[in-house]
Amino acid sequence: MNLVSAGARRLGAALAAVTHGWRGRGLTPSTLLIFVGNPRSGTTLVRSLLNAHPAIRIAQEWSLIERFQAGERSWRRQVGGMAASAARFDSLPRWEGYDYRVAGAGDGADSSIQVIGDKKAGRTLLLLARSPGLLQEFVDWCPVPVRFMHCVRHPLDVITTKTLRNGLTLDRNVALYFDLEEAAADLASRVGPSAFRSVYLERVIVRPREEISALCAFLGVPGSGVADSAGLD
């Protein structure tokens, strides 16, 4: 039974690799976006708003860096996998009990995509912090410029929510929160301000059009594309 299950998993992985490679053939993004930061910091909301831009496509936890570290070096398969992940989430945009449906999400043609990205913020940041050489290895491999987006939410909100959900003690969640924020600060110093942008959830909630337009400018796409399609006012 275990042999059958293992064989089925290997077959599924092989078929997925072929599918993602095929899907990636028609995609020629000019920028890669990677989310980093603490879980429960608004990454899914920011991802969903940006993903409504016709030139932006962001995966819902594709684990790009983890796959790269595990040996996946095909840019076409990685891009195809991110696009497929984004499409799956957009077809049923629910996460942790919340509905992230945004008008315009996934409407852009594959040929119009300029920014491809992955939203696996906490795990990605941990991997980069634990493997100092991984960042440079990844940037050297990636054929397009890499941009990092750091989502930030009030520490008390993040720590309280994590403590209620993950079963760890309050002290442990406090330590984990600040460990990740320290890792984010280190990453920012390594890549520089042109490649790293922090976005504050409370500001996005209060003035979504201005904040999302500024993030689009950081990514090199017109902010009006997402502001109009998502109806941000």
Side-chain angles (χ1 to χ4, degrees):
M1 189 68 175
N2 290 336
L3 289 175
V4 173
S5 298
R9 286 196 297 272
R10 286 195 295 270
L11 177 59
L15 290 174
V18 171
T19 301
H20 295 151
W22 176 84
R23 177 73 184 266
R25 288 190 305 173
L27 298 169
T28 56
S30 56
T31 301
L32 172 66
L33 173 63
I34 298 177
F35 278 78
V36 295
N38 266 286
R40 320 303 307 176
S41 295
T43 51
T44 304
L45 175 62
V46 174
R47 173 262 168 210
S48 297
L49 292 173
L50 287 174
N51 197 65
H53 195 295
I56 300 175
R57 195 72 77 248
I58 302 173
Q60 176 69 12
E61 304 202 347
W62 168 249
S63 302
L64 170 67
I65 294 292
E66 189 166 16
R67 291 173 186 270
F68 173 82
Q69 190 180 45
E72 177 55 87
R73 295 296 192 273
S74 168
W75 172 244
R76 193 170 75 180
R77 284 198 297 269
Q78 291 274 35
V79 168
M82 286 185 281
S85 171
R88 283 194 301 272
F89 186 73
D90 292 339
S91 67
L92 189 62
R94 294 192 63 82
W95 190 253
E96 301 285 348
Y98 295 97
D99 192 326
Y100 289 93
R101 196 177 313 276
V102 178
D107 286 351
D110 284 355
S111 59
S112 70
I113 294 175
Q114 300 173 42
V115 179
I116 193 81
D118 183 32
K119 192 226 78 172
K120 186 68 174 177
R123 178 65 175 165
T124 295
L125 193 51
L126 279 175
L127 290 174
L128 292 174
R130 291 171 177 172
S131 303
L134 180 58
L135 173 64
Q136 193 59 54
E137 183 183 4
F138 180 80
V139 171
D140 289 343
W141 165 82
C142 186
V144 300
V146 182
R147 300 290 179 263
F148 295 91
M149 193 163 290
H150 171 221
C151 288
V152 184
R153 184 183 179 189
H154 194 289
L156 293 181
D157 290 332
V158 176
I159 293 167
T160 300
T161 304
K162 290 174 68 175
T163 302
L164 289 172
R165 289 174 176 260
N166 65 13
L168 300 178
T169 65
L170 176 60
D171 287 346
R172 181 58 179 153
N173 277 311
V174 169
L176 287 173
Y177 175 87
F178 287 104
D179 283 349
L180 281 177
E181 289 306 310
E182 185 176 322
D186 179 68
L187 176 62
S189 69
R190 294 178 67 188
V191 302
S194 64
F196 190 97
R197 175 83 180 219
S198 291
V199 52
Y200 297 87
L201 178 61
E202 291 80 6
R203 295 179 186 175
V204 173
I205 292 171
V206 172
R207 50 184 192 188
R209 178 179 288 270
E210 292 85 350
E211 292 297 316
I212 296 301
S213 293
L215 297 181
C216 288
F218 168 69
L219 296 172
V221 298
S224 58
V226 65
D228 293 339
S229 63
L232 299 180
D233 290 312

